[in-house]
Amino acid sequence: MTIDDPIAIFDSGVGSLSIIKEIRNALPSENYIYLADKKHFPYGKKTHDELLRIIQNTVEYLSENFTPKLIVLASNTPSIQVLHELKKGAVDVIGVFPPVNEAVSVSKTGHIAILATQNTVMSSELDEYIHSLKMPASVKIIKWNASRMVELVETGDFLSNKEKSRQIISEELSLLNETDNMVDAITLSSTHLPFLNEYFTLLRPCLHLIDPAKIVAGKVKRLLEGNLRTTAQKGALEILATQGKESLETIIKRLGIQEEIHEVRF
């Protein structure tokens, strides 16, 4: 299937779907390419140089084969670590970043946690990003490795094994509470994490959950102003995977997405 002038969205697995959902809600008439780069999952355990090469190759593949009007790198890890280093191409690429300001604005304690993958939490780029926000001294930011929770989404366990999911998320939230019991807002800074909202709400109903998806959707809408499809017809969605087509199909069907998946190599 070939579609015209799509918006291309990708990450290392099913996490992109949380971003796609919000962008499609904002711009239902647009066409979309969704690439699940499961061959390179998880981005959060790649070296900086590996990650830069992977993202550059993927951007070039999407640009050359689908001529998208915009590419969304729907993963916090490479957005924070390598997006600023990408070679400038014909197509603009935007990323997704921890919504720290939004978390601080709803927090009553001023203590917030950024939930992200291991490499993001350990990266100097995240420290630089936080520093650039110039938060007041009263704000305390905890960086939390949420890789175990990300894995629940990528494997589909969050749907098929709810007891295991509840246990792991409960353990992680308890450890976070032991580290800082004043945290009352968390940023879902892996695009996989919004799929776990029902667990977060069940286990810690007082936590504010800050999802960057709406922020990204708003940015896409602003950037494409004047370059949007005028038809009232709903746009098409084409799904690609670099491997693991069968496991991805199982997960997305349980999420109510019926489109066929095409495996690609590049």
Side-chain angles (χ1 to χ4, degrees), residues 152-165:
L152 292 173
V153 178
E154 193 59 35
T155 59
D157 281 346
F158 79 108
L159 291 169
S160 62
N161 194 336
K162 297 211 166 191
E163 181 53 34
K164 174 186 176 182
S165 300

Side-chain angles (χ1 to χ4, degrees), residues 238-253:
E238 183 170 355
I239 302 176
L240 313 173
T242 52
Q243 70 179 32
K245 174 183 170 181
E246 291 76 16
S247 62
L248 182 61
E249 280 177 339
T250 300
I251 294 171
I252 70 167
K253 282 180 179 173

